[in-house]
Amino acid sequence: MAKKLQTKTVTVNFGPQHPSTHGVLYIKAELDGEIIVKADPIIGYLHRSMEKIFEDRYYNQCIAIVDRADYIGPIFNEMAVVLAVEKLLQVQIPERAQYLRVMLMELNRIASHGFFWGVYGQDLGC
């Protein structure tokens, strides 16, 4: 009678990469030799506790902090803070400023998408 070989699975952690990289992904993979038995992707692994950091600061100080959440599209994070403050203070900004904001966000969106396509090959392992 032939003896059955027992294999032991190995758990390998992939990521997360440095917070300043373009993707923060953590994969916990269970391998049986070269065969992937199980893979648990955890997307959005990074948490910087910005809500807690904001508790001891003024509104204008929070704008610089939210830029660090997404270094490719900081304008969108800034707008979330600014619009919240404007709503709380019941401030109306001029129409020209609203147009400039939209233009700036659209340019930021284009840059963000361009960056995505630029590093897409690298993410695929090229």
Side-chain angles (χ1 to χ4, degrees), residues 18 31 50 66 69 72 82 89 95 107 110 125:
H18 190 272
L31 306 174
M50 288 192 180
V66 294
I72 298 298
V82 169
L89 299 176
E95 188 175 0
L107 289 170
I110 292 167

Side-chain angles (χ1 to χ4, degrees), residues 71-84:
Y71 73 105
I72 298 298
I75 302 302
F76 299 103
N77 298 328
E78 290 177 3
M79 282 301 297
V81 173
V82 169
L83 291 174

Side-chain angles (χ1 to χ4, degrees), residues 54 56-66 68:
F54 290 169
D56 298 327
R57 290 182 169 69
Y58 297 110
Y59 294 128
N60 60 338
Q61 294 172 322
C62 297
I63 295 171
I65 296 170
V66 294
R68 292 167 179 91

Side-chain angles (χ1 to χ4, degrees), residues 23-35:
V24 183
L25 171 66
Y26 168 66
I27 300 174
K28 186 175 183 179
E30 190 174 329
L31 306 174
D32 182 7
E34 293 182 357
I35 299 171

